[in-house]
């Protein structure tokens, strides 16, 4: 939704991570995202059909931005088909059981506003584990940090189905995705980092195993602690397997690769499903 097109009576979920995870100044943010996309484009995996679903990391852009960009450049083959993005990420700050849908009409970033697909949210809320809970969205960065990439790659004219996953079952996520799967106009994005606070070499070993589990649709091998978005990933793997999709790794690194040597690192992976 273009900034000037927003109605004055709309409820806005304001940007909470701007100035922390990514620049708050629109020009700086636009330049940073474009540079990340250009860097990823030069080394991108090519060929194959456009992705139906992506797994992307959600740390600060200086840490995981290039890994996330390796997934988003793959959307250039899908543009301009994508008009709805179903975006799921884990809850970091608010504890609850189930899957939280927003009450807001649009999400704000420094690049403008993204309209919430109200009809799809209403549809998702017909499931017993999905409910409106704005408190889960207000401080949550895992969804927000994906929006500037989407705005730069597929433009302003898409709607968003933002869902924060709390303590739930992977089958709950799979049910939501099945309900909202749609056709080529719908993109699924799961926001998740991988291992946390391991030494560099241990993180590489652990993340390699997690990556292999994702690529082989072995969701049971993704144990708690191996990915902060474990439940959204597992739910995606369940439905993607049912739909006959193939998984492909696009990038796998850690903050030790992107931000220099450090005692403990966080792992990041990017994957596409088509």
């Amino acid at each position: 939704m273009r900034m000037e097109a927003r109605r004055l009576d709309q409820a806005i979920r304001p940007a909470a991570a701007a100035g922390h995870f990514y620049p708050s100044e629109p020009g700086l943010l636009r330049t940073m995202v474009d540079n990340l996309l250009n860097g990823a484009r030069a080394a991108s995996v090519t060929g194959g059909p456009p992705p139906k679903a992506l797994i992307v990391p959600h740390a600060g852009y200086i840490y995981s931005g290039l890994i996330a960009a390796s997934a988003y450049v793959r959307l250039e083959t899908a543009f301009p088909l994508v008009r709805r993005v179903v975006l799921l990420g884990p809850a970091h700050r608010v504890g609850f059981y189930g899957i939280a849908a927003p009450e807001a009409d649009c999400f704000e970033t420094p690049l403008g506003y993204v309209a919430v697909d109200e009809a799809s949210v209403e549809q998702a809320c017909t499931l017993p584990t999905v409910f409106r809970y704005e408190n889960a969205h207000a401080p949550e960065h895992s969804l927000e940090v994906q929006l500037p990439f989407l705005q730069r790659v597929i433009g302003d004219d898409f709607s968003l189905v933002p869902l924060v996953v709390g303590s739930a079952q992977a089958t709950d996520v799979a049910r939501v995705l099945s309900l909202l799967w749609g056709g080529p106009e719908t993109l699924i994005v799961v926001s998740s980092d991988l291992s946390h606070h391991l030494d560099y070499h241990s993180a590489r070993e652990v993340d390699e195993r997690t990556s292999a589990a994702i690529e082989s649709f072995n969701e049971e091998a993704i144990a708690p602690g191996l990915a902060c978005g474990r439940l959204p990933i597992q739910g995606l793997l369940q439905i993607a397997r049912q739909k006959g999709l193939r998984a492909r790794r696009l990038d796998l690194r850690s903050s030790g690769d992107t931000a220099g040597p450090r005692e403990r690192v966080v792992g990041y992976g990017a994957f596409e499903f088509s």
Side-chain angles (χ1 to χ4, degrees):
M1 177 181 295
R2 298 183 185 276
M3 188 169 297
E4 65 271 18
R6 182 181 63 82
R7 297 196 318 270
L8 295 178
D9 61 343
Q10 287 184 309
I12 303 168
R13 186 275 187 188
H20 304 284
F21 284 74
Y22 61 82
S24 59
E25 199 281 318
L28 291 177
L29 176 58
R30 190 178 297 109
T31 298
M32 185 177 195
V33 172
D34 288 351
N35 287 341
L36 290 168
L37 292 169
N38 288 334
R41 195 178 290 114
S44 65
V45 173
T46 59
K52 174 63 179 179
L54 299 171
I55 297 174
V56 289
H58 56 232
Y61 285 7
I62 63 171
Y63 299 106
S64 67
L66 194 56
I67 294 87
S70 71
Y72 285 114
V73 294
R74 293 289 296 148
L75 290 183
E76 293 173 345
T77 61
F79 181 82
L81 295 176
V82 175
R83 285 293 165 264
R84 180 178 69 157
V85 177
V86 180
L87 175 58
L88 302 97
H92 287 85
R93 298 178 181 275
V94 177
F96 61 95
Y97 184 87
I99 299 172
E103 297 174 7
D105 298 305
C106 58
F107 275 47
E108 178 189 28
T109 82
L111 302 184
Y113 299 93
V114 180
V116 171
D117 189 325
E118 181 62 25
S120 295
V121 169
E122 284 288 338
Q123 188 178 16
C125 288
T126 63
L127 297 173
T129 54
V130 183
F131 57 96
R132 306 260 189 180
Y133 188 37
E134 192 66 26
N135 287 349
H137 285 270
E140 184 53 56
H141 68 273
S142 68
L143 305 188
E144 180 185 327
V145 298
Q146 311 304 338
L147 299 182
F149 280 103
L150 290 165
Q151 288 172 300
R152 293 304 292 161
V153 173
I154 62 178
D156 298 312
D157 192 21
F158 73 93
S159 63
L160 185 69
V161 188
L163 300 170
V164 177
V165 180
S167 299
Q169 301 295 320
T171 52
D172 297 327
V173 176
R175 290 189 188 99
V176 174
L177 293 180
S178 179
L179 187 66
L180 302 178
W181 192 256
E185 83 292 339
T186 299
L187 172 73
I188 311 297
V189 177
V190 166
S191 179
S192 179
D193 294 339
L194 299 180
S195 63
H196 283 58
H197 309 310
L198 299 177
D199 67 81
Y200 179 82
H201 295 291
S202 297
R204 287 193 63 178
E205 293 177 2
V206 168
D207 292 339
E208 280 287 346
R209 292 197 296 271
T210 302
S211 178
I214 290 171
E215 293 172 276
S216 63
F217 294 88
N218 182 12
E219 68 265 19
E220 294 182 358
I222 307 175
L226 298 186
C228 58
R230 177 178 65 93
L231 293 174
I233 290 174
Q234 289 178 321
L236 173 61
L237 294 180
Q238 288 181 15
I239 189 64
R241 182 174 58 242
Q242 293 173 20
K243 298 287 186 179
L245 301 188
R246 294 184 179 181
R248 177 161 64 165
R249 179 199 303 190
L250 302 172
D251 202 350
L252 187 69
R253 283 184 273 176
S254 76
S255 55
D257 299 307
T258 58
R262 53 202 58 226
E263 185 175 347
R264 293 287 184 265
V265 301
V266 177
Y268 312 119
F271 305 85
E272 71 171 358
F273 298 78
S274 56

